[in-house]
């Protein structure tokens, strides 16, 4: 079982007012692959790469969380909190 992030991210991934909570790197990766509104964007590509490195044990999980938030900002996805 993957270790959860220190603080989960709740964002309107499925549209305005439809919030989803992401609590670990694997969930973030799947959200960016399956549900992201952008297909090719610099912060998205960077976040996916960082998530892969975290899963491989090469980086701390917090790096994936920060990159995920940057990708959400790039895609103009509303984040709660």
């Amino acid at each position: 079982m993957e270790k959860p992030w220190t603080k989960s991210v709740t964002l309107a991934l499925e549209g305005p007012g439809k919030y989803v909570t992401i609590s670990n790197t694997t969930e973030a990766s799947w959200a960016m692959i399956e549900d992201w509104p952008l297909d090719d964007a610099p912060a998205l590509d960077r976040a996916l790469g960082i998530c892969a490195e975290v899963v491989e044990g090469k980086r701390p999980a917090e790096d994936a969380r920060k990159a995920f938030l940057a990708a959400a900002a790039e895609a103009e996805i509303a984040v709660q909190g």
Side-chain angles (χ1 to χ4, degrees):
M1 180 79 187
E2 183 175 347
K3 182 179 175 186
W5 290 344
T6 54
K7 185 177 180 190
S8 60
V9 175
T10 301
L11 66 167
L13 192 55
E14 298 173 4
K18 295 181 181 180
Y19 287 88
V20 165
T21 299
I22 305 295
S23 60
N24 65 49
T25 302
T26 301
E27 290 176 0
S29 295
W30 279 110
M32 290 185 289
I33 292 166
E34 296 290 327
D35 302 320
W36 219 245
L38 302 177
D39 289 327
D40 187 32
L44 172 63
D45 294 341
R46 183 172 186 274
L48 286 168
I50 289 172
C51 285
E53 291 176 355
V54 168
V55 169
E56 293 169 1
K58 296 178 181 177
R59 293 180 80 134
E62 189 61 21
D63 287 359
R65 184 181 178 279
K66 289 177 184 175
F68 182 70
L69 286 168
E74 174 185 64
E76 299 181 351
I77 298 171
V79 176
Q80 279 188 336

